[in-house]
Structure formats: structure tokens, C-alpha cells
Amino acid sequence: MSAITAPTVRGIGGGGWGQMRAKLNSARLHLFVPLTLYLLFTLVPFYWMVVFAFRPTTSHNPYPWPITLANFKVVWNVLGFGTFFENSVIVGVGVLIGLNVICAMAGYALARFKFAGRGALILILLCTQFVPGVMLLIPLFVIFRHLGLIDNLFALIIADIVFQLPLTSLLMSGFIRNVPVELEEAAMVDGCSRVRAFLSVTLPLLRPAFVAIGSFAFIGSWNNFLFALMFMSSQNHFTLPVGLDYTIGEFSVNFGALAAGGLIAAVPVVIIFAFVQKYLVQGLTFGAVKG
Amino acid sequence: MGVTQTMLEAEQRVPLGAGVGEPAKRRRKHKGWVPYAMLSPLVILIAAFVAYPVGSVVYYSFQNYNIVEPFLNGFAGWSNYSTMLHHDPLFWSSLLFTGKWVVTEVVLQLIFGMILALIMNEAFRWRGFTRAAVFAPWAVSGVLTTTIWLLLYDPQAGIVNYLSNIGLAPRGFAILADTHTVFWGAVLAELWRGVPFFAIIILADLQSIPRELIEAANCDGANAWTRFRWVVLPHLRDAVILSTLLRCVWEFNNVDLLFTLTNGGPGTETTTLPLYVARQAIDNHNFGYGAALTMAGFAILFVFSMIYLKLSKFGASTGYRS
């Protein structure tokens, strides 16, 4: 555990630790029985998908043996998951970069300047949380059609950025505020312009913020389904969630292929999540609120 | 820190307020156009893709607007609304189901999330790994959740089949095709990825409880329950209230899972209002009527949020929390 996670003995268990050690066994049992049950509830579904993905479609074993990659070959080459994966990566990276740039600018303005309308803007940003994308499917479709962006991955990048932007801007301004303004002022005294001071002093210190926000932006856009379903019409512009839905909707579902496709969609986000989940518990709570 | 006071005190305490409550740090005075220029991409995007669409939903709801039948398009007056209120039983049944779905999901997620957070707040070996494992479904999309649970629920190939083998379920039982079981089948799948949300928020807040409070409670002879009831719970109050509200809104609006898992069926058994909107938009291209349904959704969300915040007396923190 790095310094970022909480000290191990803290919170409600912390105080009672002396007593707890005395009755260690019973206390541990209260802990481990529900935890084990919950772990099973979480992991069995993942395991089941792995089993389906790696065993031959004819097999009924509850374990992935004999092991085969045939399902992945079908999914990647025949069903087009290679293309879907590529599209998801393009959109995810586009959102990650665009969102970080825009929210760094906005966050800097919110954190370092006093200006008319600042309070109102923050309130509006919070209120957008009550206006989610599903309800705006129809008008957004009309707008993107006017812009000629239907069936264009760029529409997805814009829509994903827009709906993540309000909270990430607030988060970023929190991060920036934690960087002492004196550092920038010192650089400016030494002859840097404001822009130069920001780029060479503050920006490097914000690396964890960019990593955290970028990761969650990527996960969010990777998982977005309805926008992609609504705005993309040709199969070579589908993203992974749409591809999965397409596979589910097949006349007779090929479970091996479905599981392999699911695994392809799951692995990147689960790996990213495993690395950044500590930020969530540490204090990115408000970002998590978005779900 | 964290969720709690953010909404009300966003001015002073932008989230992640790791700088705990410090007043805005010597924010520079008005600098003319500079902050506005830096904010312009944000403001333009929000105006063009959130504010304008919200406005246009109002406009469309008074129009006949169907992109596959453009010859019928034109001003419709209140007809979309009167169809919705008087001639559309699916509107009312979807409202009823939405309420049932949101309440069931949020209550169960909150209870299990709370328990999970309390457990994860204890010190034990492999905690880092365990935490990553139990929180992982949070990162999983609705469609992927559907994929995974379809594999579990399939009457021939799923885990359900093993339950039949030991006599716990009838053979070849299709959970998602039976009107009696489809609700709980969907609830379980959504719980799987929803519980980590509350667990993460509550765990973050648990870790901000000052140790001295717990120690003081122990000195006064508190047992595990009284400690939870009178120290931990009051501390969590605002975080729980706010995250519950946001979760209700989220569960109300998020249609990915039901859209793909049950498709609102069997029949229209599991159609929520937003799912109905999505169907109107995606399948029927009936934008005018879909816009009227969307307006109903906005109105319900707004009224619900106001009543909820009023009833919960949000921000009226008790006790030590300043």
C-alpha cells in the first residue's frame, strides 16, 4: 500500500482494536463470512464468463478445459470485435485527451481567479448532473445530424466529453487549488509568464490528477452504450458495447463468442480500475457519484 | 471531506477538498477576459450540448416530429401530452415500474454497500486486493453486466442449470422470460454492479472519521452497535443523503442494463420511463412524443429531488461536524 491509501488501522475498527484483538476469533468470523460470500457474488460471474470464453462451444465443463482460443478468433475476425475495439480505443483516447485539456483550463480559471458569475457557473455545473444523456438522446441526435456528424466517431467523443466535463472540471479545480499558488508566483517573480509558470510549475504537479481524471474519462466513454447505439449507424463505427448488444441480439446466441467479446470489453477497464480504485476511496468521491 | 458539503458549499469547498475547508487561496482579483477565455470551451460545450437540447426538448414536445414520417411534422399543440396522459397505459405502467425499480435498487444497494464499506474499513490481510476485487463491477458497463448475467441465467448453459440439478429450480427455467422472476433477476444483476458505488462513497467517508471520536466512544463503554448508531451513522449522514439522491437519479436514468437484459420485457413488464423514451427515439423515431415523455421525466426528477432534499433536511448536520 502506498502512502495514498489510508493507514491500515483506522476508522471504526481502529479504536476498538485492543478489545478486538482479545476476542480476535469471533470478530474475524463476523468479518470473513460476509466478505467471502460477497467475494463469491462478485467473482463467480466473472469466472463464469472466463469459462465460457476459453472452453470449446461444445463443452459443458464448469472450468475452462480443454482450453481454446477459437471463440476469440471468431469474435475478433468474424464478428468484427477487432474494429469495435479499435473504435472504442479511438473514442476513449479522444475523450481522455480532450477532457483533460478542457477541464484543466476550466479548473485553473475556477481555482485561481475571482470573476463575476463564478458561483452561478459552479451551481450550473452541479445541476447538469440531473440532466443525463438518455433524456437528451433525441435533441442530440438532431444536433449531430445538422452538424453532419451522425455515424462519425467524433460525435461520440464530443458527447462523452460534454457529459463528463462538469464534474471533472470541479475536481480539477480542487486539485489545482491544492497546488500552492506561491509556487507559480515565485516562478513569475523569476520572469516566467503566467502561462509558462502554469506549464512548468503547476502542470507537472498535477500528474496524479490527470491520471485519475483520464482513467475515469476513459472508463466512462468505454462503457457508453446509448450514444453509440443512437449516433453510429454503420457496423464499422460500432464501439464494443454496441457490438456486444449486437451479439446478444443474434437469432441464436453463441455463448462462447458472447463471453469472449465480453472479456475483450472487460479486461481493459478492469485493469485500469484496479490501478486507480485507490483514488476513488481516497477522495475522488464526487467523481464516483457519477457512477 | 468528500461528497458531503460539496453541493451546498461548492463555492468554498470544491470537491476533493483535500485542502480541508481552507478558504479559496488568495484567488486573484478580476483579471478581465482571462478567466472567461479559459472557461469558454467548457461554457460553449455545455450551452450547445446540454442547455440548448434541454430547451429544444420543450419545443419538440409540442410538435409532431417523426424523422421517418416527415410529411406529418408540424405544430401539435398539447396533443402529445394529452395522448401521454389519457391514451397511453404504457406511460403509467412504466412510471409505476420505474418507482418500484429505483426504490428496490437504491435501498438494497445502500444496505449492502454500507455493510461492505464497514467490512472493508477493517484492517485485514489482502485488503488492497480484496477491495479492488469487490469494487471491480463498478467499472463494468450495463451491456457487459447483461452479457455476464445472460451467461449465468441461461436455462441450458447457465449456472441456473446447476441449481436445477440439485433440485433448487425447475429444469429449463428461464428467469428472464417469466413475469414472476424477471424483476428479481434484473435487480440482482444491477445490484452486482451497483453495490460498489455506495461501498466506495461510504468507505471514503468512514476513513474521514477522527479516531478520537471512536476512542472516546469506547471509553464511554460503547459497543459495536451503539458506536455505529451514535458515532458513525451521524458522521455519514450527509454523504449518505446526497449519494442516495444522486443514485436515485442515476438508477432512474440509466437504461443500459434493462435495455439489453430484458428489453423492457417480457411484454412491457420491465419498461421504465427512460427506457420507453429511448425506445421511442431509437426504434420508432417518434421524437415529438418522446420529447413529451422526456418532459414528464424531467418534471418527476425535479419534484422528487426537491421533496427529498426538503424531507431529509440535507445539510442540517448533527453533532460535531462543523
Side-chain angles (χ1 to χ4, degrees):
Chain A
M1 291 282 99
S2 64
I4 286 173
T5 46
T8 39
V9 182
R10 213 176 137 193
I12 61 150
W17 202 237
Q19 294 144 300
M20 275 182 82
R21 197 172 294 148
K23 44 177 184 178
L24 193 68
N25 287 330
S26 66
R28 299 273 93 173
L29 214 61
H30 288 145
L31 209 62
F32 283 121
V33 170
L35 186 58
T36 311
L37 288 177
Y38 197 82
L39 263 176
L40 282 177
F41 175 58
T42 304
L43 295 180
V44 165
F46 280 123
Y47 171 76
W48 200 239
M49 178 168 66
V50 172
V51 168
F52 269 90
F54 284 104
R55 76 183 185 191
T57 40
T58 50
S59 161
H60 290 286
N61 297 336
Y63 41 82
W65 196 263
I67 201 163
T68 172
L69 290 177
N71 290 322
F72 289 93
K73 283 181 190 143
V74 169
V75 163
W76 194 266
N77 299 324
V78 182
L79 294 180
F81 272 64
T83 318
F84 305 156
F85 190 89
E86 201 176 292
N87 291 335
S88 279
V89 171
I90 291 171
V91 174
V93 172
V95 171
L96 187 155
I97 294 171
L99 191 71
N100 264 329
V101 170
I102 298 172
C103 86
M105 286 166 65
Y108 188 83
L110 287 172
R112 292 280 198 252
F113 290 100
K114 205 166 199 160
F115 53 90
R118 185 173 170 278
L121 181 64
I122 290 175
L123 192 65
I124 290 171
L125 292 180
L126 287 170
C127 284
T128 55
Q129 291 315 294
F130 292 86
V131 188
V134 195
M135 299 301 230
L136 297 185
L137 269 184
I138 292 170
L140 283 176
F141 182 86
V142 177
I143 291 173
F144 284 127
R145 207 171 50 153
H146 282 306
L147 296 174
L149 288 178
I150 291 300
D151 204 22
N152 186 330
L153 291 178
F154 205 57
L156 275 186
I157 296 178
I158 294 176
D160 282 340
I161 288 179
V162 165
F163 282 89
Q164 302 200 39
L165 196 49
L167 278 182
T168 49
S169 298
L170 293 175
L171 273 176
M172 188 56 101
S173 92
F175 276 114
I176 290 174
R177 197 176 310 180
N178 286 336
V179 177
V181 70
E182 290 80 5
L183 289 179
E184 273 171 60
E185 282 168 353
M188 283 160 78
V189 168
D190 290 345
C192 281
S193 67
R194 172 185 282 278
V195 176
R196 178 80 198 282
F198 174 74
L199 290 180
S200 53
V201 177
T202 312
L203 206 59
L205 292 172
L206 288 176
R207 220 168 60 187
F210 286 118
V211 171
I213 289 176
S215 306
F216 293 115
F218 188 85
I219 292 176
S221 83
W222 187 268
N223 287 344
N224 197 332
F225 168 61
L226 274 190
F227 285 161
L229 184 68
M230 184 85 181
F231 303 146
M232 298 302 114
S233 50
S234 65
Q235 209 176 328
N236 54 357
H237 289 136
F238 283 180
T239 55
L240 281 171
V242 184
L244 275 179
D245 181 50
Y246 188 75
T247 315
I248 293 169
E250 295 272 279
F251 183 64
S252 65
V253 183
N254 175 351
F255 284 115
L258 184 59
L263 206 58
I264 290 170
V267 165
V269 282
V270 170
I271 290 176
I272 294 173
F273 178 75
F275 281 107
V276 296
Q277 52 100 10
K278 61 189 176 196
Y279 288 100
L280 273 178
V281 182
Q282 179 56 20
L284 263 179
T285 26
F286 205 80
V289 162
K290 242 193 120 186
Chain B
M1 70 187 284
V3 187
T4 47
Q5 284 136 338
T6 332
M7 205 83 167
L8 294 179
E9 294 174 32
E11 171 68 22
Q12 287 302 324
R13 280 174 135 255
V14 171
L16 188 94
V20 186
E22 80 194 310
K25 222 177 217 170
R26 235 184 296 163
R27 224 177 281 127
R28 277 167 214 149
K29 281 270 160 15
H30 201 97
K31 285 269 179 175
W33 54 272
V34 177
Y36 296 108
M38 297 186 80
L39 284 165
S40 58
L42 167 80
V43 172
I44 291 169
L45 283 175
I46 299 289
F49 296 102
V50 180
Y52 170 73
V54 169
S56 67
V57 166
V58 181
Y59 172 76
Y60 291 144
S61 71
F62 291 102
Q63 298 281 317
N64 284 320
Y65 188 25
N66 189 325
I67 54 168
V68 289
E69 294 168 356
F71 43 90
L72 292 175
N73 290 353
F75 183 67
W78 290 93
S79 75
N80 285 327
Y81 288 97
S82 82
T83 308
M84 177 174 84
L85 294 174
H86 303 302
H87 307 291
D88 188 357
L90 184 51
F91 169 68
W92 293 105
S93 70
S94 73
L95 269 190
L96 204 66
F97 179 75
T98 310
K100 187 175 154 194
W101 171 256
V102 171
V103 171
T104 313
E105 270 303 329
V106 174
V107 168
L108 290 178
Q109 286 178 18
L110 177 60
I111 293 171
F112 286 113
M114 176 82 80
I115 295 171
L116 193 57
L118 289 171
I119 293 173
M120 300 311 275
N121 196 40
E122 300 287 330
F124 55 87
R125 246 179 208 257
W126 300 100
R127 188 172 71 156
F129 169 78
T130 314
R131 200 166 70 180
V134 293
F135 290 170
W138 178 87
V140 166
S141 69
V143 185
L144 186 53
T145 308
T146 293
T147 303
I148 290 173
W149 286 83
L150 279 180
L151 298 174
L152 292 167
Y153 284 158
D154 185 73
Q156 266 76 49
I159 276 198
V160 183
N161 204 27
Y162 291 89
L163 295 180
S164 311
N165 287 346
I166 54 171
L168 280 177
R171 184 153 300 281
F173 183 63
I175 292 173
L176 298 173
D178 187 310
T179 47
H180 297 291
T181 52
V182 65
F183 178 70
W184 292 105
V187 163
L188 193 65
E190 181 75 357
L191 268 186
W192 179 74
R193 73 165 177 149
V195 168
F197 166 84
F198 276 110
I200 289 168
I201 303 257
I202 293 173
L203 179 58
D205 223 49
L206 278 176
Q207 297 191 338
S208 74
I209 299 182
R211 259 185 94 171
E212 299 76 36
L213 273 177
I214 306 290
E215 279 160 10
N218 287 332
C219 286
D220 292 345
N223 61 28
W225 167 250
T226 45
R227 203 162 55 216
F228 175 73
R229 173 65 188 81
W230 299 105
V231 181
V232 175
L233 215 52
H235 186 94
L236 296 178
R237 187 175 181 276
D238 279 357
V240 168
I241 289 175
L242 184 57
S243 51
T244 304
L245 172 63
L246 289 169
R247 195 59 179 178
C248 285
V249 173
W250 194 88
E251 287 292 350
F252 180 91
N253 283 299
N254 195 283
V255 301
D256 294 11
L257 182 97
L258 288 174
F259 191 101
T260 48
L261 188 67
T262 67
N263 200 0
T268 54
E269 188 77 16
T270 55
T271 302
T272 62
L273 180 63
L275 181 52
Y276 190 25
V277 173
R279 282 274 159 235
Q280 287 292 334
I282 293 166
D283 298 344
N284 303 347
H285 301 289
N286 194 345
F287 287 8
Y289 191 58
L293 292 171
T294 306
M295 291 301 292
F298 281 152
I300 290 163
L301 275 184
F302 180 75
V303 172
F304 168 78
S305 305
M306 290 300 118
I307 293 175
Y308 179 87
L309 287 176
K310 198 92 186 166
L311 284 183
S312 63
K313 299 192 179 64
F314 176 68
S317 290
T318 43
Y320 50 84
R321 201 134 193 224
S322 56

